[in-house]
Structure formats: C-alpha cells, structure tokens
Amino acid sequence: DDRPLTLDDVRRLAPAAFTAEPHPETSDQYRPVSTLDAVEVLADHGFAPVQAAQKKARTIEGNRYAQHLIAFAQDRAEAGETRPEIVLYNSHDGGSSLKLFGGAFRFICSNGIVAGDGYEAKARHVGSSVQGVEDMLRDVAGSLPDLMARIDRLRGVQIDNWHAHRLAAEAASLRWDDLRSAHPEDRRGAFYDAETLRALMSPRRPQDANDRTLWGAFNRVQEGLLRGGVPVRSYTEKSPHGTRRRARPIGSVEESVRLNRTLWDAAEAMLEAA
C-alpha cells in the first residue's frame, strides 16, 4: 500500500539507515553522509518514506553499515496510479556513496521503478554537508516532472510483438546468458531461451492483457526480471545437460537498482527510436 513508514518501520526494514559512524575498516578520509540527515531533509520538503530494504551482510556487525535503500513520496495515490518517488541509496561501509534517484511506483502491480541516466545525484563520503543533500534533492525532485512525462510518452507508444520480444531479450541479457550463444561444453549457470522470453512478455494480471504499449511491455518485462518465476535453463556439474527451473527473485538491493536503471534506459532508447 502507500501508507508512509514510521521511523520504527524503517529501523526494522533497514537498520543500517540509523548508523551514524563509519565502518571501522574505512579510511581516515571517509566521512559518512548520514542517511538520517537525508531523511530529515526529505521530510522538510514533504517526502515521507514508503519503502525500505537493505543488503544482508555476512556478519551481524556488518548489517549496521550495509547498503540500504529507502523510497520517498510526497503524495498518497489511488490504486492503479503511478506515483513519482525519490529513491535513496546509501551505505556506511565504503561500498557506496549516498545517491538519490528519480523513480516511480505502479500500484497495480506493486512495481517500483528506478529511472536511468539523467535521474541521479550523489554525494561522496568525504565530508559532504546537509546543504549538499539539499542540492541533490533539488536536482532529483526537479527531474520528477520530466520522468512522469516520459512515462506518459511510454504509455502513448504502441509496439508490435517484434519490439516487445526485443525488449524482453535485452532485459534477459542483463541477468542471464543467451543459451544459443554458449557452446554446450561451456554451459555453466543459468541461461535464457525462447521460453524465458515468452514468459517475460506475458501479462501476469487481467488488467495488463490488452496493453500493447511500450509502458505495458516495460512493466511486464521488469516484473519477471526482478521478481523471477520465469523459466530458465540451469547447467551444473550434476546436471551437465541442463534442467528447467524457475528464476528466483532478485534479493540484492544493489542488483535491483542496476537492473531497474539499465532496463529503463533500454525502454527510453526504444522510445526515442519509435
């Protein structure tokens, strides 16, 4: 739902957001940009947290500094709407600068979108100030109208099966290798094939069944890519000839952001070529 999260909710979902000090193994030059400071700046501008998650570290102590993500929105939205959001990504272990991304949330499928090039601002952990976060917020918030206008353009472009298949293939290649391009003796790991692409193109809910727009294709492909459930071929030492299995959901915050942004750029490239 679109209920704003309390700070207790954020602490439960992304406890590293509340860590003020850097990881002990970072250098003396490392000066963390506090996530809580950023949360306060966003709150001053009317943005409340609506989603939160963090990367699972190898140790309990590591969880205090791990990479984490919080999505913020200014307004509540009706079911079925797409709402603009600002997505914060940070860590206190030296693994990431503080980044703000322009994003959107589609309520009909609970899909969060992190936009690609042109919708990002970041502050390195070398003493960046609260004023720096203010400047970042201004830049990213200013990009949200353009982001929503891009979504409207994606909604306005009808595509045929060939283009939908091409977008699905580009998406699949972000996560798996193409089974056709791998020599049988070199196959190890997960591969996509024609069945994977058909599943990525297939709607998961009745409301999407007749949507032939680029926006509809983007959402179908994105959901299968990140949430999994699509069939892939898996090759291991025990199964050298391959077995069919269902892809697992993406569990990494960092990988989710990467896939989201790269897929957005692919859809935008197709939009510009339309």
Side-chain angles (χ1 to χ4, degrees), residues 14-261:
F18 290 81
T19 300
E21 73 277 5
H23 192 284
E25 295 182 2
T26 55
S27 71
D28 292 339
Q29 287 75 38
Y30 187 84
R31 298 288 186 273
V33 183
S34 167
T35 296
L36 276 186
D37 285 348
V39 170
E40 291 177 1
V41 169
L42 286 156
D44 289 342
H45 290 268
F47 285 90
V50 289
Q51 294 186 75
Q54 83 170 49
K55 179 179 180 179
K56 185 176 181 180
R58 296 175 183 175
T59 64
I60 295 176
E61 180 67 10
N63 281 324
R64 295 184 56 210
Y65 309 97
Q67 296 171 22
H68 50 279
L69 179 151
I70 307 174
F72 298 82
Q74 281 186 309
D75 303 309
R76 297 177 69 94
E78 299 296 329
E81 290 186 352
T82 300
R83 176 182 65 191
E85 295 185 347
I86 289 179
V87 180
L88 179 153
Y89 185 69
N90 197 19
S91 78
H92 298 131
D93 60 2
S96 172
S97 56
L98 185 145
K99 301 175 183 178
L100 295 180
F101 300 100
F105 190 81
R106 185 176 182 240
F107 282 91
I108 194 171
C109 57
S110 298
N111 278 0
I113 296 160
V114 181
D117 288 344
Y119 300 94
E120 174 190 5
K122 60 183 176 182
R124 297 178 60 214
H125 292 281
V126 289
S128 297
S129 65
V130 171
Q131 182 58 50
V133 177
E134 290 263 13
D135 294 341
M136 290 169 58
L137 172 62
R138 190 179 304 110
D139 289 343
V140 175
S143 73
L144 293 181
D146 177 68
L147 172 60
M148 299 307 290
R150 289 276 180 170
I151 289 175
D152 284 341
R153 287 185 63 193
L154 291 172
R155 286 193 179 106
V157 173
Q158 299 284 323
I159 62 171
D160 54 24
N161 285 337
W162 185 88
H163 285 89
H165 185 276
R166 197 181 101 192
L167 183 63
E170 287 194 49
S173 68
L174 300 176
R175 185 172 174 186
W176 308 287
D177 290 326
D178 186 345
L179 183 63
R180 298 171 302 175
S181 64
H183 190 278
E185 295 181 358
D186 298 328
R187 290 173 181 170
R188 286 293 183 273
F191 295 81
Y192 75 88
D193 58 13
E195 191 171 341
T196 311
L197 301 185
R198 282 194 295 270
L200 286 173
M201 294 165 57
S202 299
R204 298 194 175 195
R205 56 191 56 80
Q207 298 95 320
D208 292 337
N210 296 317
D211 189 344
R212 297 291 181 263
T213 66
L214 181 51
W215 175 243
F218 170 86
N219 277 278
R220 287 192 290 272
V221 168
Q222 184 226 29
E223 189 167 5
L225 186 67
L226 272 72
R227 294 195 173 192
V230 297
V232 293
R233 295 287 298 182
S234 179
Y235 292 81
T236 64
E237 289 186 4
K238 293 183 178 180
S239 303
H241 301 294
T243 58
R244 179 72 65 187
R245 67 170 176 83
R246 297 285 174 180
R248 292 185 293 271
I250 294 295
S252 162
V253 173
E254 184 176 18
E255 182 68 356
S256 177
V257 170
R258 183 189 74 84
L259 291 172
N260 249 305
R261 299 192 74 210

